[in-house]
PDB file of all heavy atoms in Angstrom:
ATOM      1  N   LEU A   1      -3.130   4.875  -4.528  1.00  0.00           N
ATOM      2  CA  LEU A   1      -4.052   4.459  -5.580  1.00  0.00           C
ATOM      3  C   LEU A   1      -4.003   5.526  -6.662  1.00  0.00           C
ATOM      4  O   LEU A   1      -4.353   6.680  -6.416  1.00  0.00           O
ATOM      5  CB  LEU A   1      -5.475   4.328  -5.042  1.00  0.00           C
ATOM      6  CG  LEU A   1      -6.556   4.105  -6.112  1.00  0.00           C
ATOM      7  CD1 LEU A   1      -6.366   2.759  -6.802  1.00  0.00           C
ATOM      8  CD2 LEU A   1      -7.939   4.214  -5.489  1.00  0.00           C
ATOM      9  N   HIS A   2      -3.565   5.125  -7.845  1.00  0.00           N
ATOM     10  CA  HIS A   2      -3.492   6.044  -8.977  1.00  0.00           C
ATOM     11  C   HIS A   2      -4.547   5.615  -9.994  1.00  0.00           C
ATOM     12  O   HIS A   2      -4.535   4.472 -10.470  1.00  0.00           O
ATOM     13  CB  HIS A   2      -2.095   5.974  -9.604  1.00  0.00           C
ATOM     14  CG  HIS A   2      -1.912   6.896 -10.762  1.00  0.00           C
ATOM     15  ND1 HIS A   2      -1.690   8.242 -10.603  1.00  0.00           N
ATOM     16  CD2 HIS A   2      -1.931   6.667 -12.099  1.00  0.00           C
ATOM     17  CE1 HIS A   2      -1.563   8.797 -11.795  1.00  0.00           C
ATOM     18  NE2 HIS A   2      -1.720   7.865 -12.714  1.00  0.00           N
ATOM     19  N   VAL A   3      -5.479   6.519 -10.312  1.00  0.00           N
ATOM     20  CA  VAL A   3      -6.499   6.217 -11.313  1.00  0.00           C
ATOM     21  C   VAL A   3      -5.866   6.322 -12.693  1.00  0.00           C
ATOM     22  O   VAL A   3      -5.230   7.325 -13.018  1.00  0.00           O
ATOM     23  CB  VAL A   3      -7.704   7.171 -11.189  1.00  0.00           C
ATOM     24  CG1 VAL A   3      -8.704   6.924 -12.317  1.00  0.00           C
ATOM     25  CG2 VAL A   3      -8.374   7.011  -9.835  1.00  0.00           C
ATOM     26  N   MET A   4      -6.034   5.255 -13.494  1.00  0.00           N
ATOM     27  CA  MET A   4      -5.457   5.208 -14.833  1.00  0.00           C
ATOM     28  C   MET A   4      -6.502   5.410 -15.924  1.00  0.00           C
ATOM     29  O   MET A   4      -6.201   5.950 -16.987  1.00  0.00           O
ATOM     30  CB  MET A   4      -4.731   3.875 -15.046  1.00  0.00           C
ATOM     31  CG  MET A   4      -3.574   3.694 -14.079  1.00  0.00           C
ATOM     32  SD  MET A   4      -2.855   2.045 -14.152  1.00  0.00           S
ATOM     33  CE  MET A   4      -1.991   2.143 -15.700  1.00  0.00           C
ATOM     34  N   TRP A   5      -7.713   4.945 -15.669  1.00  0.00           N
ATOM     35  CA  TRP A   5      -8.788   5.036 -16.655  1.00  0.00           C
ATOM     36  C   TRP A   5     -10.106   4.923 -15.927  1.00  0.00           C
ATOM     37  O   TRP A   5     -10.131   4.722 -14.712  1.00  0.00           O
ATOM     38  CB  TRP A   5      -8.629   3.936 -17.716  1.00  0.00           C
ATOM     39  CG  TRP A   5      -9.362   4.249 -18.999  1.00  0.00           C
ATOM     40  CD1 TRP A   5     -10.456   3.597 -19.478  1.00  0.00           C
ATOM     41  CD2 TRP A   5      -9.073   5.293 -19.936  1.00  0.00           C
ATOM     42  NE1 TRP A   5     -10.864   4.166 -20.664  1.00  0.00           N
ATOM     43  CE2 TRP A   5     -10.030   5.220 -20.969  1.00  0.00           C
ATOM     44  CE3 TRP A   5      -8.121   6.288 -20.011  1.00  0.00           C
ATOM     45  CZ2 TRP A   5     -10.060   6.080 -22.052  1.00  0.00           C
ATOM     46  CZ3 TRP A   5      -8.132   7.152 -21.082  1.00  0.00           C
ATOM     47  CH2 TRP A   5      -9.088   7.041 -22.091  1.00  0.00           C
ATOM     48  N   GLU A   6     -11.221   5.002 -16.649  1.00  0.00           N
ATOM     49  CA  GLU A   6     -12.531   5.032 -16.004  1.00  0.00           C
ATOM     50  C   GLU A   6     -12.816   3.800 -15.153  1.00  0.00           C
ATOM     51  O   GLU A   6     -13.597   3.876 -14.197  1.00  0.00           O
ATOM     52  CB  GLU A   6     -13.640   5.228 -17.031  1.00  0.00           C
ATOM     53  CG  GLU A   6     -13.793   4.076 -17.995  1.00  0.00           C
ATOM     54  CD  GLU A   6     -14.831   4.361 -19.076  1.00  0.00           C
ATOM     55  OE1 GLU A   6     -15.758   5.153 -18.833  1.00  0.00           O
ATOM     56  OE2 GLU A   6     -14.698   3.795 -20.158  1.00  0.00           O
ATOM     57  N   ASP A   7     -12.205   2.676 -15.472  1.00  0.00           N
ATOM     58  CA  ASP A   7     -12.465   1.446 -14.732  1.00  0.00           C
ATOM     59  C   ASP A   7     -11.202   0.856 -14.098  1.00  0.00           C
ATOM     60  O   ASP A   7     -11.248  -0.205 -13.499  1.00  0.00           O
ATOM     61  CB  ASP A   7     -13.077   0.396 -15.664  1.00  0.00           C
ATOM     62  CG  ASP A   7     -12.113  -0.051 -16.763  1.00  0.00           C
ATOM     63  OD1 ASP A   7     -11.170   0.709 -17.099  1.00  0.00           O
ATOM     64  OD2 ASP A   7     -12.289  -1.167 -17.290  1.00  0.00           O
ATOM     65  N   LEU A   8     -10.075   1.551 -14.217  1.00  0.00           N
ATOM     66  CA  LEU A   8      -8.782   0.952 -13.894  1.00  0.00           C
ATOM     67  C   LEU A   8      -7.939   1.858 -13.015  1.00  0.00           C
ATOM     68  O   LEU A   8      -7.772   3.046 -13.301  1.00  0.00           O
ATOM     69  CB  LEU A   8      -8.028   0.678 -15.205  1.00  0.00           C
ATOM     70  CG  LEU A   8      -6.638   0.067 -15.111  1.00  0.00           C
ATOM     71  CD1 LEU A   8      -6.701  -1.349 -14.540  1.00  0.00           C
ATOM     72  CD2 LEU A   8      -5.997   0.045 -16.498  1.00  0.00           C
ATOM     73  N   GLY A   9      -7.419   1.272 -11.938  1.00  0.00           N
ATOM     74  CA  GLY A   9      -6.495   1.984 -11.064  1.00  0.00           C
ATOM     75  C   GLY A   9      -5.263   1.145 -10.820  1.00  0.00           C
ATOM     76  O   GLY A   9      -5.239  -0.049 -11.125  1.00  0.00           O
ATOM     77  N   GLU A  10      -4.249   1.782 -10.265  1.00  0.00           N
ATOM     78  CA  GLU A  10      -3.007   1.088  -9.942  1.00  0.00           C
ATOM     79  C   GLU A  10      -2.680   1.279  -8.475  1.00  0.00           C
ATOM     80  O   GLU A  10      -2.756   2.393  -7.946  1.00  0.00           O
ATOM     81  CB  GLU A  10      -1.845   1.631 -10.769  1.00  0.00           C
ATOM     82  CG  GLU A  10      -0.523   0.959 -10.427  1.00  0.00           C
ATOM     83  CD  GLU A  10       0.685   1.606 -11.091  1.00  0.00           C
ATOM     84  OE1 GLU A  10       0.551   2.665 -11.720  1.00  0.00           O
ATOM     85  OE2 GLU A  10       1.782   1.031 -10.956  1.00  0.00           O
ATOM     86  N   ILE A  11      -2.313   0.196  -7.816  1.00  0.00           N
ATOM     87  CA  ILE A  11      -1.721   0.288  -6.482  1.00  0.00           C
ATOM     88  C   ILE A  11      -0.239   0.491  -6.700  1.00  0.00           C
ATOM     89  O   ILE A  11       0.415  -0.297  -7.393  1.00  0.00           O
ATOM     90  CB  ILE A  11      -1.995  -0.968  -5.649  1.00  0.00           C
ATOM     91  CG1 ILE A  11      -3.482  -1.023  -5.286  1.00  0.00           C
ATOM     92  CG2 ILE A  11      -1.116  -0.984  -4.399  1.00  0.00           C
ATOM     93  CD1 ILE A  11      -3.868  -2.205  -4.447  1.00  0.00           C
ATOM     94  N   ARG A  12       0.284   1.573  -6.129  1.00  0.00           N
ATOM     95  CA  ARG A  12       1.704   1.870  -6.315  1.00  0.00           C
ATOM     96  C   ARG A  12       2.301   2.356  -5.003  1.00  0.00           C
ATOM     97  O   ARG A  12       1.598   2.735  -4.081  1.00  0.00           O
ATOM     98  CB  ARG A  12       1.919   2.891  -7.436  1.00  0.00           C
ATOM     99  CG  ARG A  12       1.134   4.161  -7.295  1.00  0.00           C
ATOM    100  CD  ARG A  12       1.517   5.246  -8.278  1.00  0.00           C
ATOM    101  NE  ARG A  12       1.314   4.900  -9.669  1.00  0.00           N
ATOM    102  CZ  ARG A  12       1.423   5.747 -10.675  1.00  0.00           C
ATOM    103  NH1 ARG A  12       1.702   7.010 -10.444  1.00  0.00           N
ATOM    104  NH2 ARG A  12       1.229   5.367 -11.913  1.00  0.00           N
ATOM    105  N   THR A  13       3.617   2.322  -4.963  1.00  0.00           N
ATOM    106  CA  THR A  13       4.399   2.805  -3.829  1.00  0.00           C
ATOM    107  C   THR A  13       3.925   2.157  -2.522  1.00  0.00           C
ATOM    108  O   THR A  13       3.763   2.813  -1.495  1.00  0.00           O
ATOM    109  CB  THR A  13       4.364   4.354  -3.733  1.00  0.00           C
ATOM    110  OG1 THR A  13       4.447   4.925  -5.042  1.00  0.00           O
ATOM    111  CG2 THR A  13       5.519   4.881  -2.911  1.00  0.00           C
ATOM    112  N   LEU A  14       3.711   0.833  -2.570  1.00  0.00           N
ATOM    113  CA  LEU A  14       3.326   0.088  -1.365  1.00  0.00           C
ATOM    114  C   LEU A  14       4.599  -0.287  -0.620  1.00  0.00           C
ATOM    115  O   LEU A  14       5.427  -1.038  -1.139  1.00  0.00           O
ATOM    116  CB  LEU A  14       2.524  -1.153  -1.739  1.00  0.00           C
ATOM    117  CG  LEU A  14       2.050  -2.009  -0.577  1.00  0.00           C
ATOM    118  CD1 LEU A  14       1.088  -1.232   0.324  1.00  0.00           C
ATOM    119  CD2 LEU A  14       1.395  -3.279  -1.082  1.00  0.00           C
ATOM    120  N   ILE A  15       4.741   0.257   0.580  1.00  0.00           N
ATOM    121  CA  ILE A  15       5.944   0.045   1.384  1.00  0.00           C
ATOM    122  C   ILE A  15       5.530  -0.203   2.823  1.00  0.00           C
ATOM    123  O   ILE A  15       4.645   0.478   3.352  1.00  0.00           O
ATOM    124  CB  ILE A  15       6.862   1.287   1.360  1.00  0.00           C
ATOM    125  CG1 ILE A  15       7.182   1.719  -0.071  1.00  0.00           C
ATOM    126  CG2 ILE A  15       8.143   1.039   2.154  1.00  0.00           C
ATOM    127  CD1 ILE A  15       7.817   3.101  -0.146  1.00  0.00           C
ATOM    128  N   VAL A  16       6.197  -1.160   3.461  1.00  0.00           N
ATOM    129  CA  VAL A  16       6.027  -1.393   4.895  1.00  0.00           C
ATOM    130  C   VAL A  16       7.420  -1.412   5.514  1.00  0.00           C
ATOM    131  O   VAL A  16       8.333  -2.061   4.997  1.00  0.00           O
ATOM    132  CB  VAL A  16       5.295  -2.731   5.165  1.00  0.00           C
ATOM    133  CG1 VAL A  16       5.232  -3.017   6.662  1.00  0.00           C
ATOM    134  CG2 VAL A  16       3.904  -2.711   4.554  1.00  0.00           C
ATOM    135  N   ALA A  17       7.579  -0.691   6.622  1.00  0.00           N
ATOM    136  CA  ALA A  17       8.865  -0.675   7.327  1.00  0.00           C
ATOM    137  C   ALA A  17       9.260  -2.101   7.708  1.00  0.00           C
ATOM    138  O   ALA A  17       8.408  -2.917   8.095  1.00  0.00           O
ATOM    139  CB  ALA A  17       8.759   0.198   8.577  1.00  0.00           C
ATOM    140  N   ASP A  18      10.548  -2.401   7.581  1.00  0.00           N
ATOM    141  CA  ASP A  18      11.031  -3.765   7.835  1.00  0.00           C
ATOM    142  C   ASP A  18      10.577  -4.305   9.184  1.00  0.00           C
ATOM    143  O   ASP A  18      10.195  -5.471   9.285  1.00  0.00           O
ATOM    144  CB  ASP A  18      12.569  -3.814   7.760  1.00  0.00           C
ATOM    145  CG  ASP A  18      13.085  -3.684   6.335  1.00  0.00           C
ATOM    146  OD1 ASP A  18      12.307  -3.892   5.376  1.00  0.00           O
ATOM    147  OD2 ASP A  18      14.285  -3.365   6.177  1.00  0.00           O
ATOM    148  N   ASP A  19      10.604  -3.485  10.220  1.00  0.00           N
ATOM    149  CA  ASP A  19      10.233  -3.965  11.550  1.00  0.00           C
ATOM    150  C   ASP A  19       8.722  -4.111  11.726  1.00  0.00           C
ATOM    151  O   ASP A  19       8.252  -4.535  12.782  1.00  0.00           O
ATOM    152  CB  ASP A  19      10.834  -3.078  12.650  1.00  0.00           C
ATOM    153  CG  ASP A  19      10.466  -1.611  12.534  1.00  0.00           C
ATOM    154  OD1 ASP A  19      10.200  -1.134  11.410  1.00  0.00           O
ATOM    155  OD2 ASP A  19      10.448  -0.928  13.575  1.00  0.00           O
ATOM    156  N   TRP A  20       7.949  -3.796  10.681  1.00  0.00           N
ATOM    157  CA  TRP A  20       6.500  -3.959  10.731  1.00  0.00           C
ATOM    158  C   TRP A  20       5.996  -4.976   9.710  1.00  0.00           C
ATOM    159  O   TRP A  20       4.783  -5.133   9.532  1.00  0.00           O
ATOM    160  CB  TRP A  20       5.803  -2.610  10.539  1.00  0.00           C
ATOM    161  CG  TRP A  20       5.823  -1.845  11.826  1.00  0.00           C
ATOM    162  CD1 TRP A  20       6.833  -1.081  12.335  1.00  0.00           C
ATOM    163  CD2 TRP A  20       4.789  -1.834  12.803  1.00  0.00           C
ATOM    164  NE1 TRP A  20       6.488  -0.591  13.557  1.00  0.00           N
ATOM    165  CE2 TRP A  20       5.225  -1.035  13.860  1.00  0.00           C
ATOM    166  CE3 TRP A  20       3.526  -2.411  12.872  1.00  0.00           C
ATOM    167  CZ2 TRP A  20       4.453  -0.806  14.992  1.00  0.00           C
ATOM    168  CZ3 TRP A  20       2.748  -2.176  13.990  1.00  0.00           C
ATOM    169  CH2 TRP A  20       3.221  -1.386  15.039  1.00  0.00           C
ATOM    170  N   LEU A  21       6.905  -5.673   9.035  1.00  0.00           N
ATOM    171  CA  LEU A  21       6.497  -6.708   8.084  1.00  0.00           C
ATOM    172  C   LEU A  21       5.793  -7.851   8.818  1.00  0.00           C
ATOM    173  O   LEU A  21       6.102  -8.138   9.974  1.00  0.00           O
ATOM    174  CB  LEU A  21       7.714  -7.239   7.322  1.00  0.00           C
ATOM    175  CG  LEU A  21       8.348  -6.275   6.329  1.00  0.00           C
ATOM    176  CD1 LEU A  21       9.668  -6.840   5.805  1.00  0.00           C
ATOM    177  CD2 LEU A  21       7.401  -5.962   5.182  1.00  0.00           C
ATOM    178  N   HIS A  22       4.866  -8.496   8.137  1.00  0.00           N
ATOM    179  CA  HIS A  22       4.145  -9.676   8.635  1.00  0.00           C
ATOM    180  C   HIS A  22       3.289  -9.357   9.860  1.00  0.00           C
ATOM    181  O   HIS A  22       3.077 -10.206  10.711  1.00  0.00           O
ATOM    182  CB  HIS A  22       5.116 -10.827   8.927  1.00  0.00           C
ATOM    183  CG  HIS A  22       6.031 -11.113   7.777  1.00  0.00           C
ATOM    184  ND1 HIS A  22       5.580 -11.641   6.588  1.00  0.00           N
ATOM    185  CD2 HIS A  22       7.365 -10.902   7.619  1.00  0.00           C
ATOM    186  CE1 HIS A  22       6.603 -11.747   5.753  1.00  0.00           C
ATOM    187  NE2 HIS A  22       7.683 -11.304   6.354  1.00  0.00           N
ATOM    188  N   ARG A  23       2.798  -8.122   9.919  1.00  0.00           N
ATOM    189  CA  ARG A  23       1.920  -7.723  11.019  1.00  0.00           C
ATOM    190  C   ARG A  23       0.601  -7.172  10.476  1.00  0.00           C
ATOM    191  O   ARG A  23      -0.149  -6.535  11.202  1.00  0.00           O
ATOM    192  CB  ARG A  23       2.624  -6.700  11.903  1.00  0.00           C
ATOM    193  CG  ARG A  23       3.807  -7.333  12.634  1.00  0.00           C
ATOM    194  CD  ARG A  23       4.710  -6.333  13.302  1.00  0.00           C
ATOM    195  NE  ARG A  23       4.118  -5.778  14.504  1.00  0.00           N
ATOM    196  CZ  ARG A  23       4.771  -4.960  15.317  1.00  0.00           C
ATOM    197  NH1 ARG A  23       6.017  -4.626  15.076  1.00  0.00           N
ATOM    198  NH2 ARG A  23       4.176  -4.474  16.387  1.00  0.00           N
ATOM    199  N   GLY A  24       0.325  -7.404   9.192  1.00  0.00           N
ATOM    200  CA  GLY A  24      -0.946  -7.004   8.598  1.00  0.00           C
ATOM    201  C   GLY A  24      -0.978  -5.589   8.045  1.00  0.00           C
ATOM    202  O   GLY A  24      -2.013  -5.151   7.551  1.00  0.00           O
ATOM    203  N   VAL A  25       0.146  -4.885   8.099  1.00  0.00           N
ATOM    204  CA  VAL A  25       0.169  -3.496   7.636  1.00  0.00           C
ATOM    205  C   VAL A  25      -0.070  -3.423   6.128  1.00  0.00           C
ATOM    206  O   VAL A  25      -0.922  -2.653   5.662  1.00  0.00           O
ATOM    207  CB  VAL A  25       1.494  -2.803   8.022  1.00  0.00           C
ATOM    208  CG1 VAL A  25       1.581  -1.410   7.420  1.00  0.00           C
ATOM    209  CG2 VAL A  25       1.648  -2.745   9.544  1.00  0.00           C
TER     210      VAL A  25
END
């Protein structure tokens, strides 16, 4: 979570290992 401004953030660098995809991670 990168804060960009007083009311705004960015979700970045979201990665899930291939063998853990579709498991709610």
Side-chain angles (χ1 to χ4, degrees):
L1 171 66
H2 181 78
V3 175
M4 298 172 73
W5 201 248
E6 66 185 333
D7 65 337
L8 179 66
E10 178 188 7
I11 290 181
R12 54 171 62 171
T13 320
L14 181 63
I15 307 167
V16 175
D18 288 342
D19 56 333
W20 280 82
L21 290 171
H22 309 292
R23 293 168 74 174
V25 174

